[in-house]
Amino acid sequence: GEDVEQSLFLSVREGDSSVINCTYTDSSSTYLYWYKQEPGAGLQLLTYIFSNMDMKQDQRLTVLLNKKDKHLSLRIADTQTGDSAIYFCAETAVRRGGSQGNLIFGKGTKLSVKP
Amino acid sequence: DSGVTQTPKHLITATGQRVTLRCSPRSGDLSVYWYQQSLDQGLQFLIQYYNGEERAKGNILERFSAQQFPDLHSELNLSSLELGDSALYFCASSPRPRGRGSGAKSPLHFGNGTRLTVT
């Protein structure tokens, strides 16, 4: 496909793990990113992974990368109500029209955390 | 706080009008990117500047233009506004142009956006 794809909604209970999935398009993307957007705020970089890695862990966040399937996931352990936000997956856009390194974003997954 | 400052936070204007959105990048960042976020289109890349020069263009309409000044701040000009231009406009910055061989890990840092409402 031509777009970075994510499911639009995810609902979990506080304390559970959340897994947000993303399918990206360009196998030559060097870095893949996860951004978080809280209501009324800009995009906050959460984490990123280099394409030669399978996994990256950063405190409660775990990123898994399957290059063969162009699949990226973000796992949030012990999800808290403060994690409620929209999460965006992004890939580099180097292959598209020669533009130098802007990011292509998915439409975002809205995570709702119920107490 | 990302260090990227955008003004104004909110802007309400009428169709046919022209507005200017302003962005100050993080200290030391030379690249500025503009994105438009709307409900139906998601986040769309508009244009990128590096050290005063245009580097890349995305889905930017001809009615829109941008520039980056010697002090590295950037302005996005939107003219002949239409109802469909209502959106959140984000500015982002990074230290250098991003590409495969030149610091592609350098992430974009986003401002809090300008919410434009065209009535």
Side-chain angles (χ1 to χ4, degrees), chain B residues 8 15 19 27 30 50-51 54 74-75 80 82 89 93 97 104 112 115 118:
Chain B
T15 54
V19 297
S27 178
L30 300 178
Y50 173 72
N51 205 20
E54 183 185 302
S74 178
E75 293 181 355
S80 303
E82 301 175 0
Y89 290 84
S93 72
N112 284 337
R115 182 173 290 282
V118 182

Side-chain angles (χ1 to χ4, degrees), chain A residues 26 28 30-31 33 35 37 40-45 48 88 92 94-95 99-107, chain B residues 33 35 37 40-43 45 48 55-57 88 90 97-100 104-112:
Chain A
D26 187 0
S28 62
T30 315
Y31 289 88
Y33 301 83
Y35 281 83
Q37 185 180 28
L43 278 78
Q44 171 198 353
L45 177 68
Y48 59 86
F88 291 90
T92 51
V94 178
R95 77 172 169 89
S99 60
Q100 288 240 348
N102 73 82
L103 298 181
I104 303 294
F105 287 86
K107 288 208 156 91
Chain B
Y33 305 74
Y35 281 81
Q37 185 181 35
D40 54 343
Q41 293 292 322
L43 268 160
F45 167 68
Q48 177 201 351
R55 278 300 283 250
K57 252 184 178 178
L88 261 171
F90 286 108
R98 299 181 58 260
R100 275 188 218 180
K105 74 175 178 186
S106 178
L108 302 188
H109 293 269
F110 283 79
N112 284 337

Side-chain angles (χ1 to χ4, degrees), chain A residues 39-76:
Chain A
L43 278 78
Q44 171 198 353
L45 177 68
L46 277 182
T47 187
Y48 59 86
I49 188 167
F50 186 49
S51 59
N52 70 351
M53 298 169 66
D54 297 324
M55 185 181 87
K56 179 179 179 181
Q57 188 153 2
D58 183 1
Q59 299 182 329
R60 292 190 297 122
L61 304 179
T62 303
V63 179
L64 294 177
L65 176 60
N66 180 331
K67 279 196 76 174
K68 176 175 165 291
D69 295 337
K70 296 184 212 167
H71 185 262
L72 184 71
S73 68
L74 174 69
R75 178 176 180 270
I76 305 172

Side-chain angles (χ1 to χ4, degrees), chain B residues 19-109:
Chain B
V19 297
T20 297
L21 313 184
R22 185 189 166 100
C23 168
S24 294
R26 289 191 320 162
S27 178
D29 283 0
L30 300 178
S31 259
V32 168
Y33 305 74
W34 286 97
Y35 281 81
Q36 179 194 58
Q37 185 181 35
S38 58
L39 279 173
D40 54 343
Q41 293 292 322
L43 268 160
Q44 298 284 314
F45 167 68
L46 295 178
I47 198 163
Q48 177 201 351
Y49 280 82
Y50 173 72
N51 205 20
E53 294 194 2
E54 183 185 302
R55 278 300 283 250
K57 252 184 178 178
N59 299 323
I60 188 165
L61 299 171
E62 284 192 16
R63 300 184 285 111
F64 296 180
S65 65
Q67 54 185 330
Q68 186 180 26
F69 295 87
D71 68 352
L72 301 176
H73 91 270
S74 178
E75 293 181 355
L76 179 67
N77 301 296
L78 315 176
S79 61
S80 303
L81 284 167
E82 301 175 0
L83 295 176
D85 298 328
S86 296
L88 261 171
Y89 290 84
F90 286 108
C91 169
S93 72
S94 71
R96 60 181 75 80
R98 299 181 58 260
R100 275 188 218 180
S102 59
K105 74 175 178 186
S106 178
L108 302 188
H109 293 269

